[in-house]
Amino acid sequence: MKNRSTIRDRTGIAIAALLFSCAFSAKAAEETDHCARLQQEVQGKKHGFLAGNVSYYVGGFHASWKLIEDETIGLTHPFHHDLRSRGVGLLESELEGGEHTGAGNDFSGWEFYKDTRVLYGSVIVGGETYRHPKPVRMFWRPDKMVCEYEIGDVTIREEKFVGANDAAASIITASRPVTLRFEGHSFFVRNSVESSARIGFSSEQNAIVIAEGGTVKSRPDPDATERIGPIVYEGMTTVLSASRDFSKSVQFPEAENGMRLYRFEVPCDSEGVTVSWAMHDEADTAVRSAREIIANDSEMLAEKTAEMNRQLNREIPQFRCSDPKLEEIYYYLWALHLMYYIDVQRGWEMENHTQTAVNNFLGMHRYDACFQIKVGAWMADKPRFAYGNVLTWKHLVENGRYRELPNGLIQLSDNKGTTWHSGAYGAELSEHVLGAWQIYQHTGDLEFLRDCYEGYFRKVFWNLIAGFAMNEFEVADALEQMALLTGHADDVEHWQTLVRRDPEHIRLMFDQRWEANGHANYFAGGKQGMLMTNAFWAMRSKHFPREYAEKMVNAWALDREKGFLGDIFPRAMSGYSMEKFATPVDHSFGYTPDTAYFALDGMFRQGLTSAASELTIDQLSKYNYHEEWGIPVAPEAYQRDLKLFGDQYSNFNAGKILLFLEGLAGISYSVPEKSFRVRDAMPTSWEWMELEIPIKATDSKKTLWTKVRIERRDATKTVTVENSPFAVTLEPWLEGRKLAEKPKVSGGGLVEIEPSQPGRVAIRFEDNSPNSSVSLLMK
């Protein structure tokens, strides 16, 4: 398989930052400093989180939103994670007769970073030592963290960031001279057995150098048997350095189990001091990175800010609306999605792709990818930000790392790395096909489609397509089209016979599940009585009978007692079922972002626009915005009692981005079909919303930004598209009202057509006019 990723290095990012400042200088007024805009004061609320490529930083520690450890001066928990292990160990699977999950799978130690102690700072002033002070204020941004401390009459400020070379640094200044004492230890965590680390000081580099090594308890096999083996960082080098000489103060105290302790002091004043951390397989590279970020601290921080702002301005669809809170949520979710991208270039990790979370689920997950793939399809540079989210999974197929059931169904693990996969299988992979098809629609890239089909989709689904929420009919359609487009016309008949798709049969499949097991106005209800939102997910199929969808939404989605509409819509489980099922997992995951996305997406697709629009705003405002703190949040889940649960910066929320673009804005486009459509669902509480969509065909060197504006003034609603490269179709939502007069239309070759959903008008502009608009006077 071809390597289609873009390797990220410091030179590339520096060039990108330069291009950002020069190429778009003429449009400077349109660029937004999103890093500053997204700044949050998080002290006592959330831990810090920063990301490089294969390095991350967690400041302090919260156990599922419970404060356990405050951040402090220095660098508490920087860690290297290039997916060589799922957890803390590097053992190879040895389960006899069982699934061989490779080398590096680990069912324990996922949160090993919380036990690391890298550079814990204390402040010495006036002969008194203030040990590990906590910030009075801590600000998070996508590019850096800012911590402020008040110690007596001294104010200390630090900026922490992860550079393009994957080193972490803290730039510290003090209002008057103080001494900073830093201490930490080599890699040794609660799972550790012993350490074989070696430590020393390089006076030439003013750096502590640690050769990491040791053994740890881990569980590489699916049967969860604990064994002892090498630590995740075996043979790696950790380097700690500072901008001021600390050769006279460095100490290496004695410790048990071979662990290496270190301590040093540096002066700090208004001129500042910078401390750094770096880690690499090559000792020289680790030393060079730690010193480079110190020598160029301000420049590298500026580069980081420029690159994050470039991505948030030039890689994603731009969104504005009359509700600033929803704008903040939109860009916050995009910032997290972007921060998680990783490009390892080793083993089964040869593509740039996003990930899910920092606390315990680094790496991409098969289920989460169902919506993360589609999010990538909306980005400007799709070879870099979209293709890998699909193709990273192909390595498991090419290397025979899958499970084939007796009925011919092929399943992949839910998580993988460079040399391991989790051994936890599932059937959501069919949704990846639809995501890949959307990427093709947004690029027209036949080479990408061929990479997906040949040796991957063709092999995985040849014997059986396991549907995900009744998507098997659309998946079979997509595979049939992929076969035709990639030169495999002989496969078409196979896909046609594998999944029967005549209208009568499809309708029967839905009719048989309607009100199953005695659940009135409900789809595919189980015998045990557990009613989950996945019944709503099936509404995402174009074949789902609309009359069923309308009945189910009215009877269950909007019912606060027995239904799914809770304080944060939707509950993962209906109110009726919540009374019957109360396991710890059911309690912890009372509300989850994936259930909201799939359920609301189905409502939009069914044309239940009023309910979908209202409930989407309700969901985003309550789930993804903390009113007391006044900031956007992205929790992994909420408990039934509405307490925040799980990861604090979770890309499990990525599907919500699609609710803005495909739901509220109702935008879709196809490069191969040369079409652009707007089928809006703008909330009636909004006055306007505006988007800019980056469109770039494979054979084009230029990214074109198509602007969409939807505006309501009194009873008049106007939808305008500017700079479209394709023929435009506009289907404005009438908001439950009627037209007071014939629509006023501007654009070439217009034809009034049958709307695709009830309660709309539809105009197609056939002359490929770049600017088109429809104005409706409603009554």
Side-chain angles (χ1 to χ4, degrees):
M1 181 175 60
K2 301 177 182 68
N3 169 22
R4 304 180 62 86
S5 65
T6 301
I7 301 174
R8 295 184 292 177
D9 56 23
R10 189 188 168 211
T11 302
I13 290 183
I15 293 172
L18 179 62
L19 290 174
F20 176 72
S21 64
C22 296
F24 301 115
S25 59
K27 304 176 75 173
E30 300 178 19
E31 304 297 337
T32 300
D33 186 349
H34 285 294
C35 289
R37 179 186 186 182
L38 291 172
Q39 179 171 289
Q40 302 181 353
E41 204 290 299
V42 298
Q43 173 56 26
K45 306 177 183 83
K46 296 194 282 187
H47 61 70
F49 167 52
L50 299 170
N53 181 25
V54 294
S55 291
Y56 304 86
Y57 182 76
V58 174
F61 177 63
H62 282 65
S64 188
W65 294 85
K66 181 181 180 182
L67 176 61
I68 303 298
E69 175 194 57
D70 281 299
E71 173 66 312
T72 193
I73 291 174
L75 297 168
T76 52
H77 305 296
F79 65 103
H80 179 95
H81 201 301
D82 61 2
L83 302 177
R84 66 184 61 197
S85 172
R86 192 186 188 200
V88 76
L90 284 175
L91 280 169
E92 189 160 350
S93 175
E94 291 182 354
L95 188 61
E96 186 175 351
E99 174 63 32
H100 192 288
T101 56
N105 186 40
D106 194 350
F107 288 89
S108 66
W110 295 346
E111 296 178 320
F112 66 80
Y113 70 85
K114 66 188 178 186
D115 292 331
T116 62
R117 293 180 66 87
V118 179
L119 287 174
Y120 274 63
S122 299
V123 181
I124 304 172
V125 56
E128 187 171 353
T129 299
Y130 297 85
R131 183 174 171 80
H132 310 328
K134 69 179 182 180
V136 292
R137 288 170 296 276
M138 182 167 76
F139 300 95
W140 174 90
R141 299 166 31 138
D143 57 333
K144 66 181 180 180
M145 289 168 50
V146 178
C147 296
E148 297 175 352
Y149 308 82
E150 294 176 1
I151 302 170
D153 62 349
V154 180
T155 299
I156 296 176
R157 185 179 189 272
E158 60 176 344
E159 292 180 294
K160 311 184 188 202
F161 71 101
V162 179
N165 64 354
D166 269 322
S170 178
I171 304 171
I172 311 168
T173 57
S175 60
R176 68 183 183 87
V178 298
T179 297
L180 301 180
R181 176 184 295 157
F182 293 100
E183 55 191 328
H185 60 72
S186 60
F187 185 79
F188 199 88
V189 297
R190 66 191 63 191
N191 300 65
S192 292
V193 177
E194 63 179 1
S195 172
S196 58
R198 304 185 307 278
I199 194 168
F201 176 73
S202 169
S203 56
E204 181 182 355
Q205 300 293 341
N206 193 42
I208 295 171
V209 181
I210 305 170
E212 302 283 5
T215 54
V216 68
K217 298 175 184 177
S218 61
R219 295 186 291 156
D221 301 312
D223 70 349
T225 300
E226 189 174 79
R227 293 193 280 125
I228 295 175
I231 63 170
V232 60
Y233 294 149
E234 183 69 32
M236 295 192 72
T237 298
T238 299
V239 176
L240 309 161
S241 190
S243 59
R244 297 197 182 190
D245 177 53
F246 61 90
S247 59
K248 295 180 180 179
S249 66
V250 66
Q251 300 176 25
F252 301 117
E254 292 293 325
E256 298 179 352
N257 301 316
M259 181 171 59
R260 302 298 182 177
L261 304 180
Y262 49 85
R263 181 187 304 138
F264 65 89
E265 296 178 359
V266 289
C268 182
D269 51 30
S270 59
E271 294 298 313
V273 63
T274 299
V275 294
S276 69
W277 163 95
M279 194 172 216
H280 201 272
D281 288 307
E282 301 295 331
D284 288 346
T285 302
V287 171
R288 185 166 58 251
S289 297
R291 293 302 303 167
E292 179 187 31
I293 201 169
I294 285 176
N296 304 284
D297 50 4
S298 297
E299 295 87 347
M300 292 183 72
L301 176 53
E303 288 174 10
K304 179 76 171 197
T305 302
E307 173 60 11
M308 284 305 304
N309 274 327
R310 186 197 69 80
Q311 291 183 21
L312 289 167
N313 277 287
R314 288 288 144 190
E315 288 292 354
I316 68 172
Q318 299 299 288
F319 172 79
R320 295 170 288 276
C321 71
S322 55
D323 186 342
K325 181 169 68 175
L326 270 293
E327 279 191 40
E328 286 186 54
I329 294 170
Y330 176 82
Y331 284 103
Y332 179 67
L333 296 180
W334 264 119
L336 296 183
H337 183 80
L338 290 165
M339 289 174 73
Y340 280 117
Y341 271 87
I342 183 172
D343 195 358
V344 177
Q345 292 298 304
R346 186 183 304 126
W348 304 339
E349 287 288 329
M350 295 299 295
E351 294 78 28
N352 191 41
H353 62 77
T354 193
Q355 302 173 93
T356 291
V358 69
N359 71 328
N360 61 4
F361 276 116
L362 279 167
M364 201 172 196
H365 288 256
R366 182 197 63 241
Y367 173 78
D368 306 3
C370 291
F371 40 85
Q372 291 166 350
I373 287 171
K374 296 182 178 183
V375 171
W378 287 93
M379 299 189 69
D381 188 349
K382 295 172 184 65
R384 177 180 176 185
F385 290 106
Y387 293 6
N389 293 333
V390 181
L391 293 173
T392 188
W393 300 97
K394 185 174 181 178
H395 294 282
L396 295 180
V397 178
E398 291 179 323
N399 288 276
R401 301 293 180 151
Y402 55 83
R403 180 170 68 180
E404 185 169 359
L405 301 182
N407 63 358
L409 174 65
I410 289 179
Q411 296 180 320
L412 301 187
S413 290
D414 77 328
N415 189 210
K416 73 172 185 68
T418 56
T419 56
W420 58 270
H421 61 103
S422 67
Y425 298 93
E428 308 93 3
L429 198 64
S430 58
E431 191 72 10
H432 292 204
V433 176
L434 301 182
W437 184 248
Q438 184 171 10
I439 293 172
Y440 169 69
Q441 291 299 314
H442 286 192
T443 61
D445 190 343
L446 286 173
E447 186 179 353
F448 163 73
L449 203 64
R450 187 172 291 108
D451 280 347
C452 293
Y453 185 75
E454 295 177 354
Y456 183 24
F457 290 160
R458 186 178 188 274
K459 179 177 179 62
V460 169
F461 300 107
W462 190 257
N463 296 322
L464 181 66
I465 297 174
F468 174 73
M470 302 296 290
N471 73 353
E472 58 266 33
F473 309 112
E474 285 94 333
V475 171
D477 289 342
L479 290 170
E480 188 177 325
Q481 290 300 310
M482 289 181 186
L484 280 171
L485 291 166
T486 59
H488 296 276
D490 292 345
D491 291 353
V492 170
E493 184 178 356
H494 172 78
W495 298 120
Q496 289 175 339
T497 58
L498 186 66
V499 178
R500 184 178 168 186
R501 279 166 278 160
D502 57 275
E504 295 78 15
H505 175 74
I506 292 175
R507 178 64 190 233
L508 179 62
M509 293 299 98
F510 286 94
D511 287 348
Q512 287 178 339
R513 291 163 174 79
W514 179 246
E515 297 188 330
N517 298 305
H519 299 293
N521 295 316
Y522 198 76
F523 182 75
K527 293 181 180 180
Q528 81 281 23
M530 182 181 285
L531 304 184
M532 307 290 289
T533 54
N534 51 13
F536 289 86
W537 304 0
M539 293 194 304
R540 299 169 69 240
S541 170
K542 66 182 180 181
H543 302 291
F544 195 97
R546 191 178 188 278
E547 64 269 27
Y548 293 170
E550 196 166 6
K551 289 178 181 179
M552 189 161 67
V553 167
N554 289 333
W556 290 95
L558 304 178
D559 189 307
R560 289 187 177 272
E561 298 301 323
K562 70 174 183 178
F564 292 86
L565 183 56
D567 297 287
I568 305 173
F569 176 84
R571 299 181 177 108
M573 187 185 295
S574 71
Y576 163 78
S577 293
M578 287 174 70
E579 295 178 359
K580 298 179 62 177
F581 301 93
T583 67
V585 172
D586 294 328
H587 176 79
S588 297
F589 291 90
Y591 303 84
T592 58
D594 61 315
T595 56
Y597 160 64
F598 286 126
L600 292 166
D601 183 43
M603 294 183 198
F604 281 116
R605 295 189 189 211
Q606 289 296 321
L608 302 173
T609 312
S610 179
S613 177
E614 180 182 345
L615 293 173
T616 294
I617 296 304
D618 193 52
Q619 156 68 200
L620 291 167
S621 300
K622 293 179 178 177
Y623 192 104
N624 292 110
Y625 198 86
H626 198 292
E627 287 291 349
E628 181 183 347
W629 299 342
I631 58 174
V633 292
E636 183 179 356
Y638 283 80
Q639 298 177 167
R640 288 188 183 179
D641 59 9
L642 300 185
K643 291 181 180 178
L644 293 155
F645 180 78
D647 183 52
Q648 296 184 327
Y649 298 87
S650 180
N651 198 25
F652 202 29
N653 287 268
K656 307 287 188 67
I657 295 170
L658 300 173
L659 294 180
F660 284 94
L661 300 170
E662 300 174 3
L664 298 176
I667 297 172
S668 61
Y669 71 93
S670 172
V671 171
E673 296 174 7
K674 300 186 183 305
S675 64
F676 188 93
R677 184 178 73 176
V678 180
R679 191 172 67 187
D680 85 281
M682 186 173 78
T684 55
S685 60
W686 290 6
E687 297 173 357
W688 60 273
M689 67 176 172
E690 188 173 270
L691 301 95
E692 293 176 70
I693 308 298
I695 300 176
K696 181 181 179 181
T698 304
D699 57 357
S700 173
K701 296 181 179 180
K702 183 179 178 182
T703 297
L704 194 68
W705 290 81
T706 298
K707 184 177 180 179
V708 177
R709 183 175 176 87
I710 303 156
E711 187 174 9
R712 184 192 306 100
R713 292 185 180 181
D714 299 323
T716 300
K717 182 175 186 178
T718 304
V719 180
T720 304
V721 174
E722 298 178 11
N723 204 33
S724 171
F726 308 131
V728 173
T729 299
L730 301 180
E731 295 192 51
W733 175 40
L734 289 170
E735 302 172 3
R737 297 188 280 180
K738 295 182 179 180
L739 287 175
E741 61 183 31
K742 188 175 180 179
K744 295 179 180 179
V745 182
S746 174
L750 62 95
V751 177
E752 191 165 350
I753 61 175
E754 189 70 22
S756 61
Q757 293 179 346
R760 299 180 178 276
V761 297
I763 306 291
R764 184 169 64 234
F765 299 84
E766 295 188 332
D767 281 359
N768 201 22
S769 174
N771 301 325
S772 312
S773 70
V774 174
S775 290
L776 309 175
L777 178 62
M778 301 177 290
K779 61 180 180 181

